[in-house]
Amino acid sequence: MSDQKTVLSAIQPTGDMHLGNYFGAIANWVRLQDQYRCIYGVVDYHAMTMPYDVAKLRNNTWELITNLMAVGVYAENLFVQSLVPEHTELCWILNCFSSYGQLTRMTQFKDKSNQLGETSKDDFISVGLLDYPVLQTADILIYRADYVPVGKDQEQHLELSRDIAQRFNNQVGKPYFVLPEALYTETPKIRSTADPSKKMSKSAGEKHYISVFAEETAIRRQIKSAVTDTGAETGVMSDGVANLFEMIKAAGDMTAFTSLLDDYQAGSLKYAELKEAAANALVNLIRPFKERKMELNQDKGPLKNK
Ligand code: TRP
């Protein structure tokens, strides 16, 4: 359908997919596929802007492609950035329409270069890190994307993409590139079960995230040890308890969600039951994902052994 709007998004291949990534972004990618022409990328070149390991990056890229397919992203909607040379070609052209000053003012560039300054001895900050949002712009403009589902952290980059596209369009005197717009969708924000004051993330360490493809027993163990109350809360639901409710809802077990919420309101909620329900909901959700992943891994198709 030619009047269908195009949605584009991309993710860096930084290893394991956890419940925070899944509920916060990927589940939304899967849903959007019914409504729009969707194009989703695994952007391995972007991952080269921070310190990386060559073999790991290559593995993570294919692992992520498999994981995305396993959770329901259609293979025909996926691209691997380094396999499509037009991304980097367009990036060069767009470099010539990008303002150096504006790039140096990007919040993410400032944050990441500070982070590198602190962690690496030689203080090396690559031009790639500065150019990161221009490559991202190429990812978007090349497919003439109308919408980019973004979180707050990517708003500034999307604004930059529009500036670059507009500058190019002015130069050629016609609306050659579509100016991409942000697509805001409310998605569940999953917190770390070990420290519910923080969002679930890999960088905080193993205890702080739950892999979508973890063993059932590991998931049950992690949920069982989830922090619930700190004792400091009065009259409001603690972050830890809210997080478990959020997981049950995000995993789609509305029956458990409603009845446990009734218990909570009546003051009769047992945390052991809440945890049990959360673990069950998660395990049921991901069972088919794991089966699909196994099938995909057995498939010795042309993409294997790269
Ligand atoms: N910068 C994005 C992130 O790390 C990844 C990304 C690269 C992206 N190209 C994109 C996101 C194009 C949306 C559209 O989250």
Side-chain angles (χ1 to χ4, degrees):
M1 271 192 335
S2 57
D3 58 348
Q4 212 178 17
K5 297 283 187 192
T6 299
V7 164
L8 181 133
S9 197
I11 184 173
Q12 290 192 44
T14 42
D16 236 0
M17 182 191 293
H18 60 66
L19 293 175
N21 307 134
Y22 175 73
F23 289 125
I26 310 301
N28 189 39
W29 285 17
V30 173
R31 279 193 298 272
L32 289 169
Q33 294 180 120
D34 299 330
Q35 225 183 320
Y36 299 99
R37 168 186 177 237
C38 289
I39 301 165
Y40 300 129
V42 173
V43 287
D44 46 353
Y45 279 156
H46 276 108
M48 292 172 66
T49 57
M50 293 296 271
Y52 68 100
D53 176 283
V54 179
K56 258 195 213 146
L57 179 55
R58 190 179 294 127
N59 276 336
N60 286 348
T61 300
W62 292 105
E63 172 102 24
L64 184 52
I65 287 284
T66 313
N67 289 347
L68 289 168
M69 285 169 66
V71 302
V73 178
Y74 304 136
E76 59 269 32
N77 290 349
L78 283 167
F79 69 81
V80 172
Q81 190 183 38
S82 64
L83 292 184
V84 188
E86 285 85 349
H87 286 254
T88 39
E89 290 172 5
L90 181 59
C91 177
W92 179 258
I93 295 169
L94 297 180
N95 275 335
C96 304
F97 291 84
S98 303
S99 151
Y100 169 77
Q102 193 178 8
L103 288 178
T104 59
R105 289 191 297 274
M106 292 290 114
T107 311
Q108 187 178 299
F109 173 69
K110 289 195 274 187
D111 288 351
K112 289 199 176 174
S113 37
N114 283 341
Q115 199 182 321
L116 282 173
E118 282 160 19
T119 53
S120 74
K121 287 174 277 302
D122 55 3
D123 227 8
F124 176 77
I125 291 155
S126 76
V127 175
L129 190 61
L130 181 70
D131 209 28
Y132 180 113
V134 183
L135 181 58
Q136 178 164 343
T137 301
D139 297 339
I140 299 167
L141 299 190
I142 205 165
Y143 298 103
R144 300 204 154 82
D146 300 287
Y147 299 123
V148 182
V150 284
K152 277 260 170 266
D153 64 322
Q154 290 300 315
E155 244 173 16
Q156 198 185 27
H157 282 168
L158 195 62
E159 206 43 57
L160 177 88
S161 296
R162 297 168 59 84
D163 291 347
I164 296 173
Q166 188 62 67
R167 207 172 286 120
F168 185 95
N169 289 352
N170 289 346
Q171 162 98 7
V172 300
K174 56 180 175 195
Y176 187 83
F177 286 121
V178 173
L179 303 191
E181 278 171 45
L183 184 72
Y184 294 107
T185 317
E186 267 308 314
T187 54
K189 304 281 175 284
I190 304 299
R191 296 159 177 278
S192 155
T193 48
D195 179 0
S197 70
K198 294 200 202 108
K199 69 172 193 176
M200 183 172 284
S201 89
K202 276 197 76 178
S203 49
E206 252 184 37
K207 283 192 316 211
H208 294 279
Y209 71 95
I210 300 176
S211 164
V212 172
F213 297 95
E215 290 298 328
E216 184 177 324
T217 47
I219 294 184
R220 291 192 182 279
R221 197 182 330 113
Q222 242 174 311
I223 295 290
K224 212 172 225 165
S225 65
V227 172
T228 45
D229 282 348
T230 57
E233 300 88 357
T234 41
V236 287
M237 193 185 276
S238 69
D239 286 343
V241 172
N243 194 34
L244 292 165
F245 271 110
E246 190 73 3
M247 286 184 192
I248 298 172
K249 188 159 133 200
D253 192 345
M254 291 316 287
T255 315
F257 179 82
T258 327
S259 96
L260 290 162
L261 197 59
D262 286 345
D263 292 349
Y264 173 81
Q265 266 142 11
S268 61
L269 176 69
K270 294 194 183 68
Y271 290 153
E273 281 174 19
L274 178 66
K275 287 179 174 181
E276 172 87 11
N280 287 342
L282 292 173
V283 164
N284 288 334
L285 172 81
I286 68 182
R287 192 173 294 126
F289 299 166
K290 291 176 70 169
E291 284 167 8
R292 181 83 182 109
K293 183 169 179 174
M294 259 195 331
E295 276 170 29
L296 289 166
N297 279 335
Q298 276 157 12
D299 178 3
K300 295 267 177 278
L303 292 183
K304 279 297 156 64
N305 306 319
K306 280 262 173 192

